Amino acid sequence: TPVLEVGPGMGALTRWLLEDGHDVTVVEIDTESVDYLRRELPEPQPRIVEGDFLRMDAAELMPGDGQFCIIGNYPYNISSQIFFRVLDWKDRVVCCSGMLQREVAQRLAAPEGSRTRGILSVLLQAWYDVEYLFTVDENVFNPPPKVKSGVVRLRRNGVDDIGCDPALFRTVVKTAFGQRRKTLRNSIRPLLPPGAAVPESPLMAMRPEQLSVEQFIELTNLVTT
């Protein structure tokens, strides 16, 4: 499966991917890093795309309609945006691995009932099996960051139809976590038609972090009925 590396920097991970025989494309926003990669990476070089990953579409980065994997040591400040992009491309991205701030990585894999569970936890877990693999101590970096890092792995779970409207599902999840201290009875009220009664369901007494993906799907279908 072809691999897209986001933010290769000086190419430490890129070299390993090439040595392991992967078909690699890298996307890098920093011009100096791009120049370095073109000068220093061994032949045959990967396809090097200069640009902002968050402003590009899948067809620009990986031409055709084939499946691919995304990997990278993701910049902490945009890591959540990267995973929202993975969701947008879920029909093509079959796996995604990377290192990011530990707390964010743990949140992606957080199960129902976890206080750290959030919007991305639910949205990603609807389409991917998400694993928190291991923690990377800050002292292995020079200079060391002020936070620990964590490595996660996402594998497409084979679900093509989650059993509700995917766009409304995303809206329901975002709305619920937007007022995470409220019970769902109160937080989802704005999604109901004017004057409509809140559906009768035990879910309405729960808070968003308590719900599984399946329960959020059930909630989405309750909002549409």
Side-chain angles (χ1 to χ4, degrees):
T1 303
V3 175
L4 173 66
E5 183 187 358
V6 178
M10 296 294 105
L13 178 57
T14 315
R15 286 181 172 84
W16 181 85
L17 291 168
L18 293 170
E19 289 170 5
D20 210 40
H22 293 281
D23 173 7
V24 182
T25 297
V26 302
V27 55
E28 173 61 63
I29 194 171
D30 180 68
T31 299
E32 289 186 9
S33 294
V34 170
D35 291 342
Y36 177 88
L37 294 170
R38 287 178 173 149
R39 187 173 65 248
E40 299 293 335
L41 285 180
E43 298 289 345
Q45 289 200 339
R47 179 169 170 262
I48 299 173
V49 179
E50 183 175 354
D52 183 350
F53 171 78
L54 295 177
R55 294 178 178 274
M56 304 178 82
D57 61 36
E60 287 180 87
L61 293 165
M62 305 294 281
D65 57 4
Q67 296 178 325
F68 60 96
C69 295
I70 293 179
I71 194 168
N73 296 316
Y74 305 125
Y76 289 169
N77 60 324
I78 62 166
S79 57
S80 293
Q81 294 167 268
I82 289 171
F83 283 96
F84 275 113
R85 182 55 54 93
V86 169
L87 277 170
D88 292 338
W89 299 348
K90 65 184 180 298
D91 293 337
R92 294 191 61 192
V93 177
V94 291
C95 57
C96 175
S97 300
M99 184 169 64
L100 51 157
Q101 186 174 333
R102 179 179 63 173
E103 288 73 18
V104 178
Q106 290 173 329
R107 190 178 307 135
L108 300 186
E112 63 264 29
S114 169
R115 298 167 95 185
T116 60
R117 192 163 170 84
I119 294 170
L120 267 175
S121 318
V122 176
L123 296 181
L124 287 170
Q125 290 169 29
W127 304 102
Y128 291 89
D129 295 325
V130 184
E131 298 175 85
Y132 182 89
L133 298 181
F134 54 87
T135 298
V136 181
D137 193 81
E138 59 268 44
N139 294 321
V140 305
F141 300 99
N142 186 22
K146 294 181 180 179
V147 295
K148 294 185 185 295
S149 301
V151 176
V152 291
R153 177 172 62 200
L154 283 61
R155 289 174 169 161
R156 194 72 167 81
N157 60 14
V159 172
D160 293 318
D161 180 359
I162 58 173
C164 66
D165 181 305
L168 182 59
F169 174 75
R170 185 181 286 213
T171 299
V172 168
V173 172
K174 286 185 173 182
T175 302
F177 280 103
Q179 302 184 69
R180 63 183 304 142
R181 291 189 173 186
K182 293 186 177 182
T183 61
L184 294 168
R185 176 178 305 281
N186 295 307
S187 61
I188 68 150
R189 196 178 294 274
L191 299 179
L192 300 172
V198 174
E200 290 297 324
S201 168
L203 297 179
M204 297 304 162
M206 299 171 72
R207 288 182 170 81
E209 69 271 12
Q210 297 176 287
L211 269 64
S212 66
V213 169
E214 292 72 24
Q215 287 173 315
F216 262 109
I217 292 168
E218 181 183 346
L219 178 64
T220 303
N221 287 323
L222 283 172
V223 169
T224 61
T225 54

